[in-house]
Every structure is written in structure tokens, then in C-alpha cells.
């Protein structure tokens, strides 16, 4: 039986059809692969990532405070300083950090016959490595932890402090007060007699006058909040950065007594911690709180404005 003649054109047509089919299959699998990459961090996922923080770098910490502010916070009690002495005090001592784009700090100290004052500044830039959490939210979480550790009362600047009581706890407390009042045990609820009110005032009265650089006390270690009033007690600050608080602590040591005032504030993804303290070798003389707080609060506002520029 004779063989059929071989036609080259037909073979080419068949080969082209097979190639087209293979290309279509490859394109389909490639599309599936791209979709899988998007789910694991491709362009679709990155477009939905949380916003980065405002700050990508940090300033030099020792150069942030104005020289006039440092002079006011580190008084010399009339002592004359040479140029070299003034430079050493007011230039500050920078903290040693391994990444100055993530954390910087500086410290200043001045010793006088009336005591020693220290000022320290710590600036931290927060970066979130979770695509679902923004840098600002990560920084807010760190700030909340600091406020909780300092036992700062809630209130003031937006979201409640982590130390806020739950609604159920508040409800139970109100119920207990009502029951105590009905049983005639309402002391401390605002309905006590004149005698009880006078006693409370005597117990809360600060030792010493509110003015001056220090206040007398016979035993400062017995009352760590000595000299504090409602206006100087640890509290949230409503008009500083995105969130802020002030803490005031009296500390006694073998070498004397010192009051530490700390202001912490967050602006976007940067957290600033400013600590200002005064030491006294005389344990019967407490450093005055109002002056230290006013100066620390003023410098914190200055720093906030500098960071916002």
C-alpha cells in the first residue's frame, strides 16, 4: 500500500497550536502565583499597610533646649562661671546610643551650695514592623505603658489611660458608697460632718509654705507626696503633643532628699521623656514642687514646638 506524502506545512501548523496551548497554561499558572504573592506581602497588601510615622530621623538632643532655658533650670545661686565652666554645664553630656535615628539623649548637671540639679532628656523614635499597626499606634502603646507604670490618673487628652477603672468597677464602687451612706458610714463621701471635714483638711495640709525653693518637713520619707496639691499631683497634660503626663516623686536617700519631676509626651511616633530633679543634703528641707514642675513643663512645650517645625 503506498505511503501518503509528507506535508511540511501541516506539521508547522500542529506545532504552532501546541505552543499556543502551552503558553496559555503557563500564563494561567503565572496569574495564580502573582495572586499568592500579593496575599503574602505583595503590592496589594502593601497598599493597605498602616501609615508610617511623621518622623524618620531625630535631632541632636543636647542642642534642642535653648541656652536661656538651661540657665533657668540650672541656677547657680549667684555663682560666677568662667566661659569654660559655662560651656561644660550648658553644652550637656550626650547619651551613648547605637542608632541616633532611633534614640538620642542628653544630661545636664549643676552643683551649688544649695544643692544639685539634674536635667535629662530622652527622645525615642518608634517604628512598627507590623504592617497592620502604624508607627503612631505603636508609640501610643509604649506611652500607655509608661503612664500605667507611673500610676497616672486617667482623663484629659482623648483615649482613657490604661489605669482607668472598668465601667463595672465604677458601678460597684458607687453602689458600695450608697450602701455605706444608708448605714450611716458615709465618712469621706462628701456628706461628713464639719468635724470630719476639719480633720481631713489637717491631714492633707502640706508642710511648709508653698513659696520658696524648699519646704520644711520632719520626716519626708513618711509622705512621698509631701507638698503636692491637686494642681501639682501626678496628672495628664491636655495641651502637650498628642498625649502627655507629668509625674512628681519625692525620694529619700542616705545622701539626702530629692524631688524628681518627669514629663513624658508623644508626638506622632516620637516619645520624649524629660526628667528634672533637685537634691538637698538637708532631709528636713524638701525641694519645692511648683517651681520644678513649672520649669519642666515649660521646657517640654519648647521641645514639642521644636520637633514640630
Amino acid at each position: 500500500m503506498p505511503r501518503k506524502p509528507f506535508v511540511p506545512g501541516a506539521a508547522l501548523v500542529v506545532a504552532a497550536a501546541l505552543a499556543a496551548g502551552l503558553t496559555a497554561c503557563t500564563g494561567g499558572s503565572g496569574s495564580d502565583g502573582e495572586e499568592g504573592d500579593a496575599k503574602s506581602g505583595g503590592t496589594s497588601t502593601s497598599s493597605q499597610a498602616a501609615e508610617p510615622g511623621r518622623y524618620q530621623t531625630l535631632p541632636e538632643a543636647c542642642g534642642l533646649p535653648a541656652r536661656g532655658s538651661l540657665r533657668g533650670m540650672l541656677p547657680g545661686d549667684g555663682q560666677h562661671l568662667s566661659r569654660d565652666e559655662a560651656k561644660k554645664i550648658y553644652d550637656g553630656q550626650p547619651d551613648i546610643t547605637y542608632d541616633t535615628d532611633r534614640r538620642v539623649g542628653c544630661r545636664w548637671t549643676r552643683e551649688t551650695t544649695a544643692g544639685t540639679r539634674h536635667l535629662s532628656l530622652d527622645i525615642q523614635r518608634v517604628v512598627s514592623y507590623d504592617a497592620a499597626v502604624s508607627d503612631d499606634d505603636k508609640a501610643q502603646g509604649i506611652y500607655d505603658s509608661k503612664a500605667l507604670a507611673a500610676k497616672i490618673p486617667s482623663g484629659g487628652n482623648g483615649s482613657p489611660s490604661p489605669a482607668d477603672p472598668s465601667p463595672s468597677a465604677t458601678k460597684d464602687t458607687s453602689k458600695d458608697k450608697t450602701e455605706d451612706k444608708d448605714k450611716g458610714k458615709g465618712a469621706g463621701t462628701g456628706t461628713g460632718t464639719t468635724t470630719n471635714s476639719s480633720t481631713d483638711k489637717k491631714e492633707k495640709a502640706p508642710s511648709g509654705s508653698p513659696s520658696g525653693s524648699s519646704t520644711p518637713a520632719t520626716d519626708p520619707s513618711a509622705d512621698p507626696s509631701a507638698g503636692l496639691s491637686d494642681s501639682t499631683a501626678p496628672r495628664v497634660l491636655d495641651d502637650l503633643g498628642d498625649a502627655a503626663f507629668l509625674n512628681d516623686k519625692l525620694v529619700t536617700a542616705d545622701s539626702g532628699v530629692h524631688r524628681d519631676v518627669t514629663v513624658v509626651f508623644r508626638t506622632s511616633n516620637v516619645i520624649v521623656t524629660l526628667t528634672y530633679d533637685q537634691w538637698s543634703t538637708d532631709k528636713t528641707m524638701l525641694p519645692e514642687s511648683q517651681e520644678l514642675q513649672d520649669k519642666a513643663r515649660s521646657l517640654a512645650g519648647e521641645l514639642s514646638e521644636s520637633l514640630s517645625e
Side-chain angles (χ1 to χ4, degrees):
M1 184 175 182
R3 297 181 178 178
K4 293 182 180 180
F6 176 73
V7 183
L12 293 175
V13 172
V14 172
L18 291 173
L22 291 173
T23 301
C25 293
T26 304
S29 62
S31 176
D32 292 341
E34 291 175 359
E35 185 177 358
D37 291 342
K39 292 179 180 179
S40 61
T43 56
S44 298
T45 302
S46 62
S47 64
Q48 299 176 358
E51 290 292 330
R54 173 182 178 182
Y55 301 95
Q56 301 301 314
T57 60
L58 290 176
E60 195 274 316
C62 292
L64 272 182
R67 184 60 62 95
S69 300
L70 293 175
R71 289 194 186 100
M73 300 185 78
L74 304 170
D77 297 330
Q79 294 180 351
H80 175 72
L81 294 175
S82 66
R83 180 175 299 181
D84 290 341
E85 290 173 335
K87 180 177 176 59
K88 181 178 179 181
I89 291 174
Y90 299 126
D91 282 0
Q93 181 66 38
D95 291 346
I96 298 175
T97 59
Y98 297 98
D99 188 351
T100 55
D101 281 337
R102 293 295 299 274
R103 195 160 205 157
V104 294
C106 191
R107 300 174 185 276
W108 298 263
T109 301
R110 185 166 190 182
E111 300 179 0
T112 68
T113 56
T116 302
R117 297 204 186 196
H118 303 88
L119 172 65
S120 67
L121 181 62
D122 176 82
I123 307 175
Q124 177 185 3
R125 184 175 71 90
V126 179
V127 178
S128 172
Y129 294 100
D130 186 346
V133 180
S134 68
D135 293 347
D136 286 17
D137 289 341
K138 179 72 173 179
Q140 182 65 37
I142 296 175
Y143 167 86
D144 289 341
S145 298
K146 290 177 177 289
L148 182 61
K151 299 180 181 179
I152 302 300
S154 63
N157 60 353
S159 60
S161 166
D164 276 347
S166 63
S168 59
T170 304
K171 182 178 179 181
D172 292 342
T173 302
S174 301
K175 182 179 178 181
D176 292 340
K177 288 183 178 180
T178 302
E179 291 177 353
D180 289 341
K181 181 178 180 181
D182 294 338
K183 295 178 182 179
K185 300 178 181 179
T189 61
T191 59
T193 63
T194 304
T195 302
N196 290 336
S197 299
S198 300
T199 303
D200 293 340
K201 290 181 180 179
K202 290 180 180 179
E203 293 174 350
K204 296 179 180 179
S207 56
S209 63
S211 61
S213 60
S214 61
T215 56
T218 56
D219 186 7
S221 62
D223 185 6
S225 61
L228 294 181
S229 63
D230 291 341
S231 62
T232 57
R235 63 195 182 277
V236 169
L237 301 175
D238 297 325
D239 55 350
L240 180 62
D242 297 317
F245 69 82
L246 181 148
N247 197 17
D248 190 319
K249 295 175 61 179
L250 183 69
V251 182
T252 58
D254 293 340
S255 56
V257 58
H258 61 100
R259 186 175 292 282
D260 301 342
V261 173
T262 303
V263 177
V264 178
F265 70 89
R266 178 184 74 82
T267 173
S268 186
N269 61 319
V270 164
I271 298 176
V272 177
T273 302
L274 184 159
T275 303
Y276 182 42
D277 65 69
Q278 179 182 357
W279 281 77
S280 173
T281 55
D282 186 353
K283 294 184 179 181
T284 64
M285 301 299 292
L286 306 185
E288 202 273 320
S289 181
Q290 188 68 62
E291 180 206 356
L292 298 181
Q293 288 196 20
D294 288 346
K295 291 182 177 181
R297 177 64 185 83
S298 177
L299 179 58
E302 177 185 320
L303 297 176
S304 180
E305 291 180 1
S306 296
L307 292 171
S308 299
E309 293 177 352

